[in-house]
Amino acid sequence: MPAMAVLQAEGAVNAVEENLRRIDDYAARAAEQGAELLVTPELFATGYAPARVVGSDGEGIRAELAGIARRHGIALVGSTVEAAGDRHHISASLFDRQGVELTRYRKSHLFGPEEKSVFTPGNDLPDVVPLMGLSVALGICYDIEFPEFSRSAARRGADLLCIPTAVPTTGDVGGRPPELTYNAERISTLLVPARALENGVYIAYANHTGPDFTGLSSIASPYGTFLGIAGGGEELLVAEVDRLEVDRARGLNTYLTCMRPALYG
Amino acid sequence: MPAMAVLQAEGAVNAVEENLRRIDDYAARAAEQGAELLVTPELFATGYAPARVVGSDGEGIRAELAGIARRHGIALVGSTVEAAGDRHHISASLFDRQGVELTRYRKSHLFGPEEKSVFTPGNDLPDVVPLMGLSVALGICYDIEFPEFSRSAARRGADLLCIPTAVPTTGDVGGRPPELTYNAERISTLLVPARALENGVYIAYANHTGPDFTGLSSIASPYGTFLGIAGGGEELLVAEVDRLEVDRARGLNTYLTCMRPALYG
């Protein structure tokens, strides 16, 4: 049964060399533990700070990520800035174990004013590509919070969603009681496993850690349970994934066959 | 600030008089506690047993429910069998405090072979009707597990979803480990609050109890938290609901404005 890994770590802003060294180090560890795929957080190589990293050399970083995949013989999901004319996208790439970029996806739901001021949203849903006997689709951060996004990928055949993310810690929202506020933890503990359950898909959700980020990266099963969930610190999650579990989960929770697309309008 | 109530109780099969007496009793208690609306479980008056109750007198039961609402001056959501020609639907009705039936909805996602063998699914999404300063839509049981259903209601203006349900206990599924099985509790603890959070809506989720049902009825806030959640036994949940909280929640979690309907196809 193939295994996969999720890296939760702190990507220091504009410390590209140091961040790539960390990915390289964890790619080695993940491969040693038998993982065939490593998923890393949103804009990890540059650090997540939209206005400060928008001018980074995405193409150069992607070449480095391809080299890491090839060197350790492990598939890799890495997120980079993608320049297209005068526009910039937050993208994620899936490299195979030979370092070939199998697919690239541009984040289609930008989050918050800083991202929206410097980046342009993508206008295409992710491809679905084969890897490890599974069908993989990419998404980035805020994308997974919209049920339509993962539903679309599942209906197009995806059974594993790889989601680099950068979820900030819950801020002070004016003295309201904590149960009635924006709460970043609820994204990890509620929405991610709900997406897995309602679509019968695995989800690999890789977040930053450090003082400004929530942690709580996870690998969710197609039953909506956690095969692994990180705390607040640096962590490498490893779990086995199996196409047969997707079939079993969808046999028990028949959402994809019971849904009624014509009804929803 | 208006309050509402959810009844979790055991509806004995074909003991209509006894079950209606129980609704009447709880309507009185809910009104005493200041609730302006009481939501009761799926097919509560007949008991939930599709093949055994499909021939029940839905029209007569709805007249009784209207009388209960009027007698106690409390709005009421009750679920009954609705005959239409030679077809039968599982329906839910919202009666106002004068006993006027404001809207009726036919379950559009039938669950499991027994339901599907005796009932016909409805082909219309629920109306959105004003009550208590909120905009209310009905749904029934399996409906809420499909994100498209509640999304559609929220986009048409609903800020409170009232969901009579009948969720059976988790069965033995062939010796697989419990974390990798169908798990009815996950519907209540994961999918219901996820629907509330991702749409910024209140959800009143009223389940049966007794040996065959999961309990775990709840009132979820538009932040995806529980204002009340029942255990496994008979229980009346009461919580305050406030249209302003819907605005606040949607101001923090801007899913309805950030979603991209044109993208999902």
Side-chain angles (χ1 to χ4, degrees):
Chain A
M1 205 181 302
M4 62 168 300
V6 161
L7 172 62
Q8 173 170 295
E10 188 170 352
V13 176
N14 282 325
V16 174
E17 217 170 301
E18 176 191 330
N19 296 334
L20 285 172
R21 198 159 43 231
R22 188 161 295 168
I23 295 180
D24 188 82
D25 179 42
Y26 276 103
R29 293 196 217 178
E32 275 166 28
Q33 294 182 46
E36 298 179 27
L37 168 66
L38 172 64
V39 181
T40 62
E42 183 178 9
L43 294 178
F44 186 83
T46 57
Y48 177 83
R52 295 167 65 194
V53 309
V54 64
S56 62
D57 173 19
E59 200 174 332
I61 292 171
R62 285 188 291 277
E64 295 287 338
L65 293 171
I68 291 171
R70 193 167 46 242
R71 193 151 57 249
H72 300 289
I74 186 171
L76 182 64
V77 171
S79 168
T80 57
V81 172
E82 181 180 359
D86 57 355
R87 296 186 308 280
H88 294 85
H89 303 282
I90 299 180
S91 290
S93 301
L94 169 61
F95 302 95
D96 72 9
R97 59 187 300 167
Q98 280 85 39
V100 176
E101 189 175 1
L102 298 180
T103 185
R104 193 188 301 171
Y105 163 74
R106 296 170 171 176
K107 186 177 187 176
S108 53
H109 300 83
L110 295 180
F111 180 80
E114 187 182 343
E115 262 191 25
K116 288 176 180 171
S117 70
V118 295
F119 286 106
T120 301
N123 288 320
D124 294 300
L125 293 168
D127 299 327
V128 178
V129 298
L131 190 84
M132 305 185 297
L134 292 160
S135 296
V136 180
L138 304 177
I140 302 176
C141 194
Y142 201 30
D143 288 329
I144 198 69
E145 299 175 44
F146 296 84
E148 295 85 357
F149 182 87
S150 41
R151 180 71 100 204
S152 158
R155 291 186 74 201
R156 290 181 294 116
D159 36 43
L160 167 60
L161 309 183
C162 294
I163 314 289
T165 193
V167 179
T169 47
T170 299
D172 177 9
V173 287
R176 295 183 49 70
E179 71 278 13
L180 295 182
T181 61
Y182 168 74
N183 185 322
E185 295 189 7
R186 240 166 264 152
I187 301 167
S188 295
T189 59
L190 205 58
L191 294 186
V192 170
R195 299 293 170 256
L197 171 59
E198 71 205 17
N199 294 295
V201 291
Y202 287 99
I203 299 181
Y205 189 67
N207 195 11
H208 292 251
T209 183
D212 298 330
F213 296 96
T214 312
L216 295 173
S217 300
S218 65
I219 302 176
S221 83
Y223 302 92
T225 57
F226 288 118
L227 301 177
I229 180 161
E234 188 162 318
E235 205 164 326
L236 183 72
L237 301 172
V238 180
E240 293 186 330
V241 290
D242 182 354
R243 181 64 185 75
L244 284 179
E245 285 301 344
V246 172
D247 293 336
R248 287 190 193 110
R250 291 178 180 174
L252 286 167
N253 304 301
T254 52
Y255 296 126
L256 294 179
T257 48
C258 288
M259 68 178 292
R260 299 184 57 189
L263 184 67
Y264 313 128
Chain B
M1 201 181 304
M4 63 168 300
V6 161
L7 171 61
Q8 173 171 296
E10 188 172 350
V13 176
N14 282 325
V16 173
E17 216 171 301
E18 176 191 331
N19 296 334
L20 285 172
R21 199 157 44 231
R22 188 160 296 167
I23 295 180
D24 188 82
D25 179 44
Y26 275 103
R29 294 196 218 178
E32 275 166 28
Q33 293 182 46
E36 298 179 27
L37 168 66
L38 172 64
V39 181
T40 61
E42 182 179 8
L43 294 178
F44 185 82
T46 55
Y48 177 82
R52 294 167 64 193
V53 309
V54 64
S56 62
D57 174 19
E59 199 174 332
I61 292 170
R62 285 189 290 278
E64 295 287 337
L65 294 171
I68 292 171
R70 191 166 50 239
R71 193 151 56 247
H72 301 289
I74 186 170
L76 182 65
V77 171
S79 168
T80 57
V81 171
E82 181 180 359
D86 57 354
R87 295 186 307 281
H88 294 84
H89 303 283
I90 299 179
S91 290
S93 300
L94 169 61
F95 302 94
D96 72 10
R97 58 187 299 165
Q98 280 85 38
V100 175
E101 188 174 2
L102 298 179
T103 185
R104 191 187 303 170
Y105 163 74
R106 296 171 172 174
K107 185 176 188 176
S108 53
H109 300 83
L110 295 180
F111 181 80
E114 187 182 341
E115 263 190 26
K116 289 177 180 170
S117 71
V118 294
F119 286 106
T120 301
N123 288 319
D124 294 300
L125 294 168
D127 298 327
V128 177
V129 298
L131 189 85
M132 306 186 296
L134 293 159
S135 297
V136 180
L138 304 177
I140 303 176
C141 193
Y142 200 31
D143 288 331
I144 198 70
E145 300 174 44
F146 296 83
E148 295 85 357
F149 182 87
S150 41
R151 180 71 101 203
S152 158
R155 293 187 73 202
R156 290 180 294 118
D159 35 43
L160 166 61
L161 308 183
C162 294
I163 315 289
T165 194
V167 178
T169 48
T170 299
D172 177 11
V173 288
R176 294 183 51 68
E179 70 278 12
L180 295 181
T181 60
Y182 167 74
N183 186 321
E185 294 189 8
R186 241 167 262 151
I187 301 167
S188 295
T189 60
L190 204 58
L191 295 186
V192 169
R195 298 293 168 257
L197 171 59
E198 71 203 18
N199 293 295
V201 292
Y202 287 99
I203 299 182
Y205 188 68
N207 195 11
H208 292 251
T209 181
D212 298 330
F213 296 96
T214 312
L216 296 173
S217 300
S218 65
I219 301 176
S221 83
Y223 303 92
T225 57
F226 288 117
L227 301 177
I229 180 163
E234 189 161 318
E235 205 163 328
L236 183 72
L237 301 173
V238 179
E240 292 186 332
V241 291
D242 182 354
R243 181 65 185 75
L244 284 178
E245 285 301 344
V246 171
D247 292 336
R248 289 190 192 108
R250 291 179 181 174
L252 287 167
N253 304 301
T254 52
Y255 296 125
L256 294 179
T257 49
C258 288
M259 69 177 290
R260 300 185 58 190
L263 184 67
Y264 313 128

